[in-house]
Amino acid sequence: MAKEIAEDLKDEVPVFIGILNGSFMFVSDFVKKYPKPCEVTFIKLASYEGVKSTEDIQRLIGLTQDLSGRTVVILEDIIDSGNTLEEVHRIFKSENVKQLIIATLFYKPTAYKKDFKLHYVGIEIPNKFIVGYGLDYNNLGRDLPAIYQLKTTQHMTNIVLFGPPGAGKGTQANFLKEKYSLIHISTGDVFRFNIKNETALGMIAKSYMDKGELVPDQVTIDMLSAEVEKNADANGFIFDGFPRTNAQADALDKLMDSKDSQIDAMVALEVADEVLVGRLLERGKTSGRVDDADESIIRNRIKEYYNKTAILKDYYSAQNKYFGADGVGSIEDITVRLSAIIDKL
Ligand code: AMP
């Protein structure tokens, strides 16, 4: 753009006027590239403070030099609605300039509502909010050397529901997902669904699950990611039975990060082993689950939990995200305990 303007202006020595604050980096780089003599100055448009008016009245700061007869090139960082540009035109009407040329680094054609001519446009962009390279969001971000688009994804609440097999995670998740409008993902349920439908994933998972062992991390992580992606518009998730290993916890953090989100809490149901064994044997009578029917497999699952999974308490404690709740009592009482934790997040 600098070269193009220099060619078009031939022997004219222009006065480049940057509109502050946003244009300071652009103007700085622009004049460094301008191959011919030029003058450069800045002006600022500021709203009158303390004036209550339906119309936004602007005041001009910094125009001290006589511009009559000069070729003035306005350098804007961005033109969106065109309101600032309208003010610029109003102000320069009385300056008797030879010509008023408008050049802007960024231009949002879908947001522009005026019909002032834009003589030079650097980059046309969609109507999205950008920061950096002089442009701000609430005065922050001007210092960033590159341009970024603001993320506008909604806030999600993501909970890891934790506890040994038989602690009541599934039961509680069913109440909590309704109460907080969250998507419940139980890796155990997804595996069982795949086994029932005899999918390739189900075949792999079955060999581990029947013995009460953990399904390999990569298989589980890929499956979980796919479930999350299926629910792109969710308010948040209750993860039940996941993560069970440090590798899974790392993968989950990365997945949440890619969604501009995070795990807010690990909420753990604490139940003594003997109570768990009793509950699971009881469930085995009706659930049809192979891994609930045999006491030695149940004990193996509890052992897997303590060997591989219980360490995740440390993972989330280190981030101050671990919250334990007594998992013994009536279903309603336990829901109340868990809700008290979630409400404070
Ligand atoms: P659950 O329904 O959570 O008790 O899980 C039943 C079985 O599914 C476990 O014993 C594992 O074999 C398998 N499984 C469920 N979630 C995971 C996971 N996150 N990682 C590895 N294996 C899992």
Side-chain angles (χ1 to χ4, degrees), residues 187-188 191-192 209 213-215 220 241-242 244 248 289 291 301:
T187 42
F191 284 138
R192 280 184 286 278
M209 288 174 75
E213 291 168 8
L214 294 187
V215 176
T220 309
F242 189 97
R244 266 170 148 108
Q248 292 181 14
R289 279 179 60 168
D291 60 348
R301 285 159 63 202

Side-chain angles (χ1 to χ4, degrees), residues 183-320:
I183 300 287
H184 172 210
I185 300 181
S186 155
T187 42
D189 285 351
V190 180
F191 284 138
R192 280 184 286 278
F193 177 84
N194 278 275
I195 291 172
K196 209 175 105 202
N197 291 290
E198 298 180 343
T199 67
L201 175 66
M203 295 300 109
I204 299 171
K206 187 171 166 39
S207 57
Y208 298 93
M209 288 174 75
D210 284 353
K211 289 181 269 178
E213 291 168 8
L214 294 187
V215 176
D217 277 337
Q218 205 50 54
V219 176
T220 309
I221 290 166
D222 290 348
M223 181 273 272
L224 189 276
S225 306
E227 289 297 311
V228 168
E229 296 303 342
K230 276 186 208 163
N231 295 283
D233 300 331
N235 271 333
F237 295 90
I238 299 174
F239 296 103
D240 163 5
F242 189 97
R244 266 170 148 108
T245 63
N246 267 325
Q248 292 181 14
D250 282 333
L252 185 58
D253 276 348
K254 289 205 183 83
L255 182 65
M256 290 295 107
D257 202 44
S258 75
K259 305 249 155 286
D260 190 22
S261 192
Q262 58 167 359
I263 294 297
D264 298 292
M266 166 179 269
V267 182
L269 289 166
E270 293 163 347
V271 181
D273 289 2
E274 289 317 306
V275 178
L276 297 174
V277 176
R279 280 188 190 175
L280 289 171
L281 281 172
E282 199 54 40
R283 184 168 81 183
K285 290 179 190 162
T286 53
S287 72
R289 279 179 60 168
V290 184
D291 60 348
D292 281 348
D294 182 307
E295 181 163 341
S296 69
I297 296 176
I298 290 173
R299 292 207 182 266
N300 194 37
R301 285 159 63 202
I302 296 174
K303 204 175 93 211
E304 284 274 276
Y305 174 79
Y306 284 111
N307 285 347
K308 295 193 180 154
T309 305
I311 44 159
L312 290 179
K313 179 176 177 176
D314 301 335
Y315 185 95
Y316 290 99
S317 296
Q319 303 174 42
N320 294 320

Side-chain angles (χ1 to χ4, degrees), residues 1 4-5 8 19 72-89 100-125:
M1 191 194 284
E4 201 184 328
I5 295 178
D8 292 349
I19 311 290
V72 170
V73 182
I74 299 294
L75 292 179
E76 265 282 32
D77 48 319
I78 186 162
I79 290 182
D80 45 30
S81 70
N83 288 342
T84 305
L85 189 59
E86 185 168 42
E87 287 301 303
V88 167
H89 274 277
L100 186 67
I101 294 169
I102 310 297
T104 183
L105 174 58
F106 291 108
Y107 169 50
K108 294 184 184 175
T110 52
Y112 191 57
K113 294 198 180 60
K114 312 285 175 189
D115 33 40
F116 301 106
K117 184 174 164 60
L118 308 180
H119 301 83
Y120 300 93
V121 171
I123 305 168
E124 287 192 7
I125 59 167

Side-chain angles (χ1 to χ4, degrees), residues 24-96:
F24 76 99
M25 282 206 198
F26 170 47
V27 175
S28 163
D29 285 342
F30 179 95
V31 293
K32 280 179 247 172
K33 299 270 184 196
Y34 196 74
K36 291 182 186 170
C38 65
E39 293 176 30
V40 57
T41 185
F42 288 90
I43 59 171
K44 181 169 176 146
L45 294 168
S47 298
Y48 275 111
E49 274 168 34
V51 174
K52 284 212 180 78
S53 163
T54 45
E55 285 215 0
D56 199 16
I57 305 167
Q58 303 256 291
R59 174 169 64 106
L60 179 69
I61 304 170
L63 193 58
T64 47
Q65 108 201 57
D66 180 14
L67 293 171
S68 36
R70 301 297 303 271
T71 289
V72 170
V73 182
I74 299 294
L75 292 179
E76 265 282 32
D77 48 319
I78 186 162
I79 290 182
D80 45 30
S81 70
N83 288 342
T84 305
L85 189 59
E86 185 168 42
E87 287 301 303
V88 167
H89 274 277
R90 188 179 58 74
I91 289 159
F92 279 86
K93 217 178 250 172
S94 51
E95 292 293 325
N96 299 318

